[in-house]
Amino acid sequence: MAEPLFTPASGAGTLYGDDNTLYQYDPNTSWSPVASTDTSGIVGTNPVPTTTTTDNNTQPTGDVLGEQTSTVEDQGPSLMDQLNDVFAPTMNYLNDAMSVIEGQQPGVEEEISRDYSTSKESLQGEKASGQRTLKEQGQEAYKRFGDASSAARRLFGELKTGGRQRFGGASSAGQAYGELIGAQLQRGLGAAQSGYNDAMMKIDNAGQDLQMRYDNALKELENQKLAALNESRRWFDEKKLEITRLRGDAESTKSSQMLDLLMQLRNQAFQIYQQDYTYKQQLAQNYQANQQQVSAAKQRLLQFVNQGVGAKNNYLANSTVTPQNYLTFNRSPNTVAPTYTGVTTKKDEDELYA
Amino acid sequence: MPFFDTKEPKYKPSKVAKAEWKTFKKGVNLLLRETEVSRQELVQADNLMLIGSGVPTGRWGTALYFEANVTGTTRGFATYKSNDGTTNEIFALTDEGYLAKKNGSSYAVISGQSWPSGTDIQAEQLGGYTYIVAEDTSFTRYDGSGLEAFATIAAPTGLAVSNYSGISGLNQCSWKVVAIGLNGGSTTASANYLLTNLPNDLSQSSYHVFWSAPSCASFAGFEIYRGDPGDETFLATTDADVTFFHDFGDPAAESVLVPLTNTTGGVQSKFIKKYKDRLLCVDSNEPNKLLISARYPYQTSFNWMDGGGYIYIDPDSGDNITGIEVQPIADKIVIYKNYASYLVDLNTTQVGNYFILDPTYSPISTAVGCSNPKTIATVENDTFYFGRSGLYVTGYEPNFLNIIRTNEISARIRPYLDKLNDDDYNTACAFYVDHKYIISFPEREEMICYDRERGCFMGPWKFPFGISHMKKYTDSTGTERYVLGSYNDNKVYNFDDSLDSDNGEIMGKTLKTGKDYLGDWTKLAIIRYFYFLLRNITGTVTVNLYIEDRSGTTTLAKTFTITGSEVSGVTGWGTDLWGTAQWGDTNNDDAVTGGEEITRWGSLFKQCRLVQIEIITNTIGSNFEMLEAKLEATKQGSGSLSSSQKA
């Protein structure tokens, strides 16, 4: 037997026994017709019980679903089971699909992250390779600069020697030649320096470009990774949503079917309720008459009680517990009340050990 | 049977010995003994020169041309002539220290430069300026109005450098600035300015270099040097009015160092010579360094960058350069030392895009040279120079093109030269005028004339004063003036062919032929007749006929006097002393005649072994032209010499 949908409130009485949860009696609940049934909705306008609280009166309470559930439960274990059985494959399939999807997602994300890591390592390798190449280029350029400078100096030395051989030092031609080849050396060194500077600047720029492109590639890779992850998550989310939607559709279908069933049951129950209502009204009237009689009897009893209370109050008013003592010594009205010492007051144990 | 010639031999009278002097075109010959010279030579030719075919006559007289300054002696001449001829000046330096240009018979001082007492100058005109050099005074030029000295410029001051940017490092640099003179010379460097904490790459920052210009009239600009302290090298130049430079860290030169000496004063040189459109000088501080200027109009620059240059001639050989001359036609420069002469070629060598001057030299002679630049003169296509080995000529070897030879031409006066002392060699001066190379020995107050036309010497010419500088100058009337600077005072003279005196003083003339044997020195001769042919007699001319008689005694066998008035009446200029009477106004005797020949002859009939003719004048205004002379004699037989001489 399926679990009851509603469990009677604690202390609530039952009209038709504890087993019949459909007509659970709740003294705090009053009944009213539910709104009529809308074909598109579950709840119609048929009178449904509403709960009103009275001080001492407890009216029967309950809800339609409870009644219906009770009714379904009454007849339904087989219906619900059948219904559940009908939808169980679908739901199981969807649950399995959800499980598969949820099981696959971490793997996909891990794969994406792994791809990203692989690509990143590749990029780092490329970057390191590029930096190494650039460093080698710089070293080669520096070596070339050194070679060019050496060559320029060597040429200067050779020209100087040639000039010495050709002109000696006894004429301005030698001086002029020396200064010209000195200028040539300067130009040569300047050109070598300039070329080296240009090369190094380009290499430096290339290094910066490499770093920038590496950064960009890394960022792109990161973006791609995030995009892939997002895409994966979105796909999985879509799938989950789809499954959830399908499951919702199934649930909805199931609920709809269940509602139809419940409405059918409710209508049946309402007819029964209408039939019983009159009887219940009669019972209520009887009950009220009985209650009025009991109340009248209570009023009379109360009068007697009140008489007794009056007698007691009189007695209390006319009797005393503080008789006059005429044998006491007079004392000065201005006498100050003595201060007592040694008065002890109780302390909480917590304070004692505080 | 013996054969006897019974015919009486025919009488053959001895031949008449003749001695004829038709020309003296070989001039004076002092080298040979008086008996060795030919009849075309003279043994004495005081104050004589040759004209025509070799006719001796009195040299030109001298007259005061102008007085230069008030005191001192002449230290050099210079001339300036503008292209349009409106300015044509001659000026002289005296020990007073100022250039004085002729102004009538007086002078006008040219301001702008002065020279120490005792400093000789030389000058050349090129490019509208007359450049004047001295060994101890700045290069100076004259533009017709005033002197402009290439003054020594002080080094720039107040050099400071600031680093524009805050880029710093461990580098340090020193800057220096030098000023460039108008002649291309440079000052010494300013005090350096050291900046520390500079980046190793100086181009990472820029540096503001600024300084104060030196106080001087004009200069060309500045050069900035940069480098390690004490090792700064050339960096850049600025114009004269720019006293700052933005150094952007460009590399400085490798080998152009800061000049060590101040050369803004222009070259200081004893010599200056024009070689085409260049000037040639010799650095007085390096007396073997020939300085060659750039080409016109950069002739004041001796920098190789402008096209100038230098060459050391036989450097530090103990013999310094004593003169410069340009060998005509050969397009070569001849450099003289005391005992050597060299031919300098100015070639150019292309180095890259530059054509740098590449002077080379080759020796002409390593034995003879020139003692004094003032003795060097261009004589036609040759160069005459006088040195301790005599008077030499440098010129083309005949029939050989491009071969320069040097030959001595002073052999005939070598005994005269032997008497010269060091001062004579150092103070001698010469010029070439009227086809005569005339060299003066001011301390001896004499000149020797080399007659280029006849290839002979005449003289010596004797003066009452010494001549230390000579200059040929064509005045504004187109008249050539042979200007003479006194070695004794501030007077400037010039030769005047119309005068027979030296500034009013007697110019005595003596002509003496060689001693003539009349054919055979072993036989006596009886001079029968003598004949003299003269011309243009002025004043009083005395003719003496000396003989060495049989006893070996030289006696005046005949003397006679010829006067101008005796010949052709009273005309022309008188012979009054200068300053005592007006020319040609009184004492009309001894006047000059026309150009007619004057013949004198006579009989002598005196026995002699040698005969010598002497013609002298000892009065002002006396002169003659000795055309010809002839003696007729009868030679005596062998053994006619004196028995006292018999061995």
Side-chain angles (χ1 to χ4, degrees), chain B residues 467-503:
Chain B
I467 297 298
S468 59
H469 292 84
M470 307 163 88
K471 181 76 176 177
K472 180 179 172 182
Y473 165 62
T474 303
D475 65 17
S476 55
T477 65
T479 305
E480 273 193 357
R481 301 287 185 180
Y482 310 145
V483 183
L484 311 171
S486 173
Y487 185 66
N488 307 99
D489 53 29
N490 64 325
K491 291 184 172 55
V492 177
Y493 304 99
N494 73 314
F495 280 125
D496 189 335
D497 58 0
S498 66
L499 297 180
D500 290 319
S501 62
D502 287 323
N503 197 26

Side-chain angles (χ1 to χ4, degrees), chain A residues 21-42:
Chain A
T21 57
L22 184 60
Y23 293 102
Q24 286 175 340
Y25 173 71
D26 186 349
N28 295 323
T29 300
S30 61
W31 289 84
S32 61
V34 297
S36 61
T37 302
D38 190 348
T39 55
S40 62
I42 296 173

